[in-house]
Amino acid sequence: MTVSEREARQVAEAAREKDWRKPSFAKELFLGRFRLDLIHPHPEPAADDVARGEEFLGRLREFVETKVDGALIEREARIPDEVVNGLKELGALGMKVGTEYGGLGLTQLYYNKALALVSSASPAVGALLSAHQSIGVPQPVKLFGTQEQKDAFLPRCARTDISAFLLTEPDVGSDPARLSTTAEPDGDTYVLDGVKLWTTNGVVADLLVVMARVPRSEGHKGGITAFVVEGGSEGITVEQRNAFMGLRGLENGVTRFHRVRVPAANRIGPEGAGLKVALTTLNTGRLSLPATCVGAGKWCLKIARQWSEARVQWGRPVARHEAVGGKLSFIAATTFALEAVLDLSSQMADEDRNDIRIEAALAKLYGSEMACLMADELVQIRGGRGYETAESLAARGERGVPAEQILRDLRINRIFEGSTEIMHLLIAREAVDAHLSVAGDLIDPDASVADKRKAALSAGSFYARWLPKLVAGPGQLPRTYAEFGSLAPHLRYAERAARKLARSTFYAMSRWQGRMETKQGFLGRIVDIGAELFAMSAACVRAEKLRREGAHGTAACQLADAFCQQSRLRIEELFGRLWSNTDDLDRKVVRGVLDGAYTWLEEGITDPSTEGPWIAEAPHGPSAKENVHRPIR
C-alpha cells in the first residue's frame, strides 16, 4: 500500500490525543515552566492499596523463587505450561483488572513492582504478563470497551485467557497509515484478512486485539479499527514462532488471518478509532517497560557489588579501583533515579490528577536506554566472566551469573512499544504542541493567507506573554527549594535548564520553521535533555520523601546527588550538541552511502546472510503453513 509522507503524518496526527484537560509536569518542563508543585510532595498510595499490593508481592515472590527457573526458560526457549498455570492461579493475569471482574485490582505502582520482581527471575515471563495486561485485551477494553465487552472479556483475562496485541505487519511498523490488514463489514460481522508480525504472546494467546482497516462504504466511516478476536477462530494460523537474540522464552510469532469472522459486537470503539485506542492504551502501558528496567538495574547493582568486592586485583578489591568504582557509582545512582521516575509516574497515573502521557513516554525512553548502559557496564566489570554464559560458568564450578543474558534481554526495550528514534519524535511532537497550536498555520504550506494572518496574531499574543518569563526564574535565587537541603542546587539548575531548553526550542522553530520536523537529531537532543531533567527532579523528590520518612534518607540523598551530578554533565554536553554537531555533514555522508559512493569501503569481506528479500511479501489468502498456535494446557 503506497502512502505519501504527508498522508502518513496526517493519520498519526489524527490519532493523537490533542486535549490537555489536566496539568502535566513534563509538558510544562518543555515550555520552560518548572512546576515542581505538580510532583512535590511526592504522591502517596492509599493504605488499602499498599496492603493489597504488598500481600500479593509476598505471594508472587514465593512463587517466582520456587517455581520459575529462569535458566530452564533460557535453555529451552519456552515458558513451561505449569509456570503459566501457576501465574493464573495466583491471579497474576489480572493484576490490573478490577476486583468486580475477578481481578486483583492492583494499582499501577504495585503492578510495576510485580513486573520488576517477575522480570528479575525471567524477563520472558515478565514480557508475557506485560504484553497481556499493558497492551493486550484488558487495557483497551477497560478504557474504551462497552459494558458488555467488559463483562465478557475482563473476567477471562483476569483468570484464564492470555491476550496479545496485533498491530505490526511485515511492511508496517511505526507508520500505521500503510496498514494492509482489512476488516470487511458483512452484516453483523467483519471479515478479517491480513498478516501480523511480531505478535508478542500471539503463539499462545486465547484473545487478540487486532488493528485492521475497515473500507469506507455506505453506513461505514471506515479507517483503522480495533477488534477483540478469539485466538482459536477459524481462519487464524500462527505461521511461525519467531526467535530472537534475547528473551528466548518470548511467545512471539507471525499470525495470518484468512476470512476470519469477528462479531461487530467485538469492535472496540467506533470505526476509525483504532490508532487512538492503541496510543491511549500505551500512555500508561509504556510504564511496564521501565518497570523491567528498574528490576534489571537492581540486579546489576547487586551482582556488581558482590563481584567487585570478591574480585581482587593488584592487592585490592576491584571496586576500590577508580576505573571500576565509577561504573558502580553510575549503576547505583541510575537505578535510584529510574525507580524514582517509575514510582512517581506510576503514582501519578493512579491518582489521575495529572496527564502523564509525556512522563510515561520519557520513562520508557530513558529507562530502556539507561538500563542497557547499566547492563553493559556490568558485563565490563565482570570481564571475561561477563561475556561467558551462566551455564558455562556453572559447568566449571563458578556461580552461574547471567550477565550476558541480561544485556541481550534488555536490548529489545529500545525497540519494543516505540523505538528510541520514534519515542524522540513522539515526545518532541508533544513538546512543541503549544507552539504548533498558536503558530502552526504560519509554517503550514497549505494554510490560506487568512489562516496565516490569524495565526500570526495568535502567536504574537502568546509569545509576548511567554518569552519574557524565560529570561529569569526562581532557579537564579540562592534560597529557592531550600527544603531540599543539599539537593536544592540541583533543582535550581533544573529550573534554569528548563528555561534554556524552551528558549532553544523557540529559536529552532524560528530558524527552521516548517523544516523543524526534519531536524530529528536536534529534536532527539531536546527530548534527551527533558528526560534528564525529569529524572533529576524525580530523584530529588524521592530522596526528600525518604529523608522525611527517615527511611534510608541520608543514603538516598547521596544517591540523588551523585545522579544529578552525572546527569548535569550529560545535559551540558547535549546543550552543546544542539548547535555544534555533525548533523549537516552526516546528511551528506548518508547521501553518499545511498548513492553508492563508498561501496569500495565494503570490499574485503564475505556476507554470511542468506538469500531472500529484505521484507517478505505477505499477500492475503489462506495459509500454506502448519499452525503452531500452542494453547497453554
Side-chain angles (χ1 to χ4, degrees):
M1 182 177 182
T2 303
V3 177
S4 70
E5 181 179 356
R6 183 172 182 79
E7 289 171 326
R9 291 182 184 277
Q10 288 174 340
V11 169
E13 185 65 19
R16 277 186 61 248
E17 189 176 354
K18 298 177 178 60
D19 296 331
W20 292 88
R21 300 184 183 90
K22 299 171 185 175
S24 164
F25 174 80
K27 176 176 180 288
E28 295 293 300
L29 183 73
F30 281 110
L31 284 171
R33 299 191 283 250
F34 189 65
R35 290 287 307 279
L36 191 63
D37 59 295
L38 294 176
I39 61 173
H40 174 69
H42 196 291
E44 297 286 352
D48 57 339
D49 289 335
V50 172
R52 185 166 61 251
E54 292 294 339
E55 185 275 333
F56 175 71
L57 286 181
R59 292 190 291 119
L60 182 64
R61 175 175 290 278
E62 180 181 2
F63 177 82
V64 299
E65 288 180 344
T66 59
K67 304 297 184 183
V68 178
D69 185 342
L72 175 69
I73 294 171
E74 173 73 2
R75 186 167 58 252
E76 297 189 352
R78 176 169 293 183
I79 302 171
D81 286 6
E82 53 268 28
V83 170
V84 180
N85 287 326
L87 291 169
K88 292 179 180 181
E89 293 172 9
L90 202 61
L93 293 189
M95 287 186 282
K96 289 190 71 179
V97 178
T99 55
E100 67 272 28
Y101 299 107
L104 298 180
L106 297 187
T107 60
Q108 184 73 39
L109 179 69
Y110 275 95
Y111 169 66
N112 287 337
K113 288 181 182 296
L115 287 181
L117 174 60
V118 170
S119 296
S120 67
S122 169
V125 177
L128 181 141
L129 291 176
S130 172
H132 165 67
Q133 292 173 86
S134 297
I135 57 176
V137 170
Q139 191 70 2
V141 167
K142 174 184 174 182
L143 294 174
F144 295 97
T146 64
Q147 189 58 53
E148 291 76 15
Q149 289 171 339
K150 294 175 183 178
D151 292 337
F153 298 122
L154 292 183
R156 292 170 59 182
C157 291
R159 291 292 177 182
T160 59
D161 289 14
I162 296 173
S163 68
F165 176 80
L166 280 64
L167 170 62
T168 304
E169 297 177 359
D171 198 26
V172 178
S174 298
D175 180 13
R178 297 167 54 248
L179 199 77
S180 66
T181 298
T182 58
E184 293 273 359
D186 184 14
D188 59 356
T189 67
Y190 290 84
V191 181
L192 269 61
D193 282 280
V195 178
K196 295 294 185 179
L197 176 63
W198 297 325
T199 59
T200 299
N201 286 1
V203 178
V204 298
D206 306 289
L207 288 172
L208 315 170
V209 174
V210 181
M211 297 294 164
R213 183 182 301 280
V214 177
R216 184 187 296 272
S217 62
E218 184 177 351
H220 292 276
K221 175 185 176 183
I224 297 173
T225 306
F227 299 90
V228 178
V229 182
E230 297 283 350
S233 299
E234 183 178 354
I236 296 180
T237 305
V238 179
E239 295 189 332
Q240 178 172 316
R241 182 183 188 271
N242 300 323
F244 304 97
M245 67 180 284
L247 289 182
R248 291 180 176 168
L250 195 67
E251 298 291 353
N252 179 295
V254 178
T255 302
R256 177 179 293 273
F257 298 86
H258 176 60
R259 308 297 295 167
V260 178
R261 288 196 171 273
V262 181
N266 285 21
R267 189 187 68 218
I268 305 175
E271 290 181 357
L275 285 185
K276 187 176 183 65
V277 169
L279 292 177
T280 306
T281 298
L282 283 172
N283 280 345
T284 54
R286 285 197 174 97
L287 289 176
S288 63
L289 288 184
T292 65
C293 293
V294 167
K298 289 173 178 285
W299 184 81
C300 287
L301 178 60
K302 176 179 183 292
I303 296 300
R305 172 180 58 81
Q306 293 176 340
W307 165 251
S308 58
E309 286 180 331
R311 177 63 162 168
V312 175
Q313 294 281 273
W314 295 296
R316 291 190 289 175
V318 293
R320 304 296 177 183
H321 294 285
E322 194 171 275
V324 174
K327 299 180 187 299
L328 270 174
S329 175
F330 168 74
I331 293 173
T334 304
T335 298
F336 178 83
L338 289 190
E339 187 168 42
V341 166
L342 178 67
D343 285 0
L344 178 62
S345 300
S346 300
Q347 189 56 39
M348 287 195 294
D350 289 329
E351 291 190 350
D352 201 27
R353 286 190 297 113
N354 292 356
D355 187 321
I356 67 156
R357 75 184 84 159
I358 301 181
E359 285 85 345
L362 288 172
K364 188 274 178 187
L365 168 69
Y366 196 70
S368 61
E369 290 291 321
M370 300 306 277
C372 279
L373 290 176
M374 288 191 289
D376 189 65
E377 293 289 40
L378 173 63
V379 168
Q380 191 69 21
I381 290 171
R382 288 272 292 160
R385 290 173 173 84
Y387 195 66
E388 190 174 1
T389 67
E391 189 174 27
S392 176
L393 288 164
R396 59 185 184 78
E398 293 192 358
R399 184 174 301 189
V401 178
E404 58 83 29
Q405 181 190 336
I406 199 170
L407 184 60
R408 289 186 287 104
D409 288 342
L410 284 172
R411 185 59 183 82
I412 188 58
N413 289 342
R414 297 175 59 202
I415 301 171
F416 260 165
E417 296 180 21
S419 68
T420 291
E421 293 73 24
I422 292 299
M423 296 306 298
H424 276 150
L425 298 180
L426 184 152
I427 298 168
R429 173 62 186 85
E430 300 298 344
V432 301
D433 184 56
H435 301 284
L436 294 179
S437 296
V438 300
D441 283 340
L442 280 174
I443 59 177
D444 186 349
D446 295 332
S448 66
V449 174
D451 287 339
K452 288 182 180 292
R453 186 180 299 115
K454 183 179 178 181
L457 292 172
S458 177
S461 175
F462 172 78
Y463 290 122
R465 298 190 309 271
W466 178 68
L467 285 172
K469 297 178 181 178
L470 301 182
V471 176
Q476 293 168 290
L477 302 176
R479 296 297 299 164
T480 307
Y481 313 121
E483 68 270 26
F484 285 84
S486 61
L487 299 178
H490 298 310
L491 292 174
R492 290 196 291 270
Y493 172 86
E495 193 278 334
R496 296 193 305 272
R499 285 186 283 111
K500 182 178 180 180
L501 183 64
R503 292 194 303 268
S504 299
T505 304
F506 172 74
Y507 174 70
M509 291 198 68
S510 302
R511 176 180 176 180
W512 291 315
Q513 299 185 29
R515 293 184 296 126
M516 181 76 162
E517 64 184 20
T518 69
K519 304 296 182 180
Q520 296 178 1
F522 176 90
L523 292 172
R525 294 174 202 115
I526 287 287
V527 170
D528 286 340
I529 293 170
E532 293 281 4
L533 292 174
F534 178 41
M536 282 181 61
S537 305
C540 290
V541 168
R542 182 183 184 219
E544 173 59 17
K545 170 183 178 290
L546 294 176
R547 187 193 64 78
R548 291 197 316 269
E549 295 173 350
H552 312 296
T554 300
C557 287
Q558 188 175 49
L559 286 170
D561 182 38
F563 174 78
C564 289
Q565 295 281 11
Q566 295 166 10
S567 179
R568 287 171 69 164
L569 292 175
R570 293 190 292 266
I571 289 171
E572 289 304 309
E573 179 186 357
L574 286 164
F575 268 127
R577 289 174 55 211
L578 285 180
W579 310 111
S580 179
N581 52 64
T582 62
D583 291 351
D584 291 338
L585 179 58
D586 292 342
R587 280 190 286 272
K588 293 179 182 178
V589 172
V590 168
R591 285 195 295 270
V593 170
L594 297 180
D595 291 342
Y598 312 129
T599 53
W600 52 268
L601 194 58
E602 302 166 10
E603 296 173 0
I605 62 166
T606 184
D607 184 355
S609 307
T610 63
E611 293 297 321
W614 288 106
I615 299 172
E617 292 186 6
H620 294 191
S623 179
K625 297 184 178 182
E626 177 187 357
N627 188 359
V628 297
H629 181 238
R630 183 178 67 87
I632 301 297
R633 303 300 183 190

